[in-house]
Amino acid sequence: MRAIQIEQFGDPAQVLRVVDIEEPPPPGPHEVLLSVEVSPLNKHDLLVVTGMLARPPLPHIPGAEGVARVLATGAEVDGLQVGDLVVLPLYSGAWRERLVVPADGLFALPAGGDIEQYSMLGSNPPAAGLMLSECTPLQPGDWVVQNAANSGVGRSLIALAKLRGLKTINLARDEATFAELTAAGADVVHVDDRDAVGDVRAAIGDARVALAVEAVGGPVVGRLLELLSDGGWLVSYSWARDEPMWVDTSTLVGKHLTVRGFFVGDFDYRDKVVPVIREAAPLVADGTLVVPVAGVYPLEHIQDAVQHLLRGGKILLKVAGR
């Protein structure tokens, strides 16, 4: 069967290769055999390929997430049937046609959902949901502000916050996506510009903003700090700029703020990540949570897919075999 593999860390254009590997063994009593259908190509996948994010043993099959179809179940597996669609466990090496994984934590996705949208359930919704629950206590009615609101994590955060009774302030690069973000449940949307702080505060008054979620870096982070209320938290999960995140010390100290980094892979998969995937799956199934897809590529066009990702947009790999 086919897989994408690296034998050394480095430039994705040089080290990513489509190879033939052995078929997986039959599933054990508590395992399932899966056919990987669709897997996103994420920037953090490329960070693994370059060796910047992690250095797994080589040779290595990348692919942090994806959606797969059950081909066979072990003798002790309950609740799953051949043909069910499931979300792959995080970091299981999704860029291969078939694999065997433990059944623990897997569940059948709602019938009739869009398979491409389902493929993005494994990483972004858990990241968004866990940032809402694991950083600072939030109560229904509390406000959360984020930049990069049009990203996959941003859209997931909007939908999950709405489901949990939270209100969101969403900063994006331009107005083109405002209608989509509002339809997903955004309470306030604004261009991420110099007027954002004043305009948002005029809209929400002195309401408490307890959490800021950031994925851009550079000086624009200052707007999130200005909008945070005393004792608030700033959480950073990614970066779009090749420069440090600017945090003004007087604001940090004067407002008693807390700043932390976030990586979804640090959280227990079964007890923390899977419950958020279960929470988000119905939102994907009914079309509440939608992430626009810029391109879908077969495995053999991995280099074209990488170049498209670097230009921008959400890129998916169609993994299912010939």
Side-chain angles (χ1 to χ4, degrees):
M1 68 175 185
R2 297 176 307 159
I4 294 175
Q5 183 173 277
I6 61 171
E7 295 184 355
Q8 63 186 49
F9 301 108
D11 182 352
Q14 303 296 324
V15 302
L16 285 171
R17 293 286 185 272
V18 179
V19 298
D20 286 319
I21 63 173
E22 292 185 2
E23 290 282 348
H30 301 281
E31 296 177 326
V32 292
L33 172 64
L34 301 176
S35 168
V36 182
E37 301 293 308
V38 183
S39 175
L41 172 61
N42 296 307
K43 289 187 177 178
H44 60 256
D45 291 310
L46 299 188
L47 292 176
V48 172
V49 171
T50 62
M52 293 177 62
L53 183 62
R55 284 184 170 262
L58 297 173
H60 173 66
I61 297 173
E65 61 176 332
V67 64
R69 196 172 299 277
V70 176
L71 295 179
T73 62
E76 303 297 323
V77 175
D78 293 321
L80 289 174
Q81 305 293 327
V82 171
D84 285 343
L85 281 177
V86 298
V87 175
L88 283 170
L90 273 177
Y91 305 104
S92 54
W95 296 352
R96 72 185 90 190
E97 291 179 317
R98 288 170 291 281
L99 76 167
V100 170
V101 301
D104 189 25
L106 300 182
F107 64 96
L109 292 165
D114 184 281
I115 193 169
E116 292 183 359
Q117 294 296 319
Y118 277 155
S119 76
M120 296 178 275
L121 268 170
S123 176
N124 291 341
L130 290 172
M131 284 188 285
L132 291 174
S133 64
E134 300 297 317
C135 297
T136 186
L138 297 174
Q139 302 297 325
D142 283 349
W143 285 89
V144 177
V145 61
Q146 66 169 337
N147 58 23
N150 186 46
S151 67
V153 172
R155 288 170 180 256
S156 299
L157 188 143
I158 290 169
L160 289 170
K162 187 76 171 181
L163 185 66
R164 298 178 185 183
L166 304 170
K167 295 182 179 294
T168 58
I169 302 157
N170 302 278
L171 306 182
R173 287 182 295 180
D174 58 56
E175 299 181 7
T177 60
F178 281 13
E180 294 177 1
L181 299 183
T182 300
D187 296 284
V188 175
V189 289
H190 198 286
V191 175
D192 194 356
D193 61 14
R194 294 180 180 179
D195 297 327
V197 174
D199 291 349
V200 168
R201 270 300 170 190
I204 71 171
D206 60 357
R208 175 169 174 76
V209 180
L211 177 67
V213 175
E214 118 72 20
V216 178
V220 300
V221 178
R223 294 173 193 138
L224 301 183
L225 297 179
E226 288 188 63
L227 284 167
L228 274 174
S229 300
D230 188 82
W233 281 63
L234 172 69
V235 181
S236 179
Y237 67 91
S238 186
W239 60 94
R241 296 171 178 262
D242 291 328
E243 60 179 311
M245 180 173 66
W246 291 21
V247 176
D248 178 71
T249 304
S250 63
T251 303
L252 182 69
V253 174
K255 284 189 170 184
H256 311 94
L257 303 179
T258 300
V259 179
R260 65 161 290 182
F262 179 92
F263 177 51
V264 68
D266 291 339
F267 290 84
D268 177 82
Y269 185 76
R270 185 187 65 182
D271 294 333
K272 293 289 187 178
V273 174
V274 170
V276 184
I277 296 174
R278 286 184 175 272
E279 183 183 14
L283 299 176
V284 174
D286 68 16
T288 299
L289 174 53
V290 176
V291 178
V293 174
V296 181
Y297 293 83
L299 282 186
E300 60 267 25
H301 292 169
I302 180 60
Q303 295 301 337
D304 293 333
V306 169
Q307 292 306 311
H308 196 160
L309 177 68
L310 296 177
R311 294 194 303 270
K314 192 68 177 182
I315 306 303
L316 306 180
L317 294 175
K318 182 173 175 53
V319 184
R322 296 159 288 191

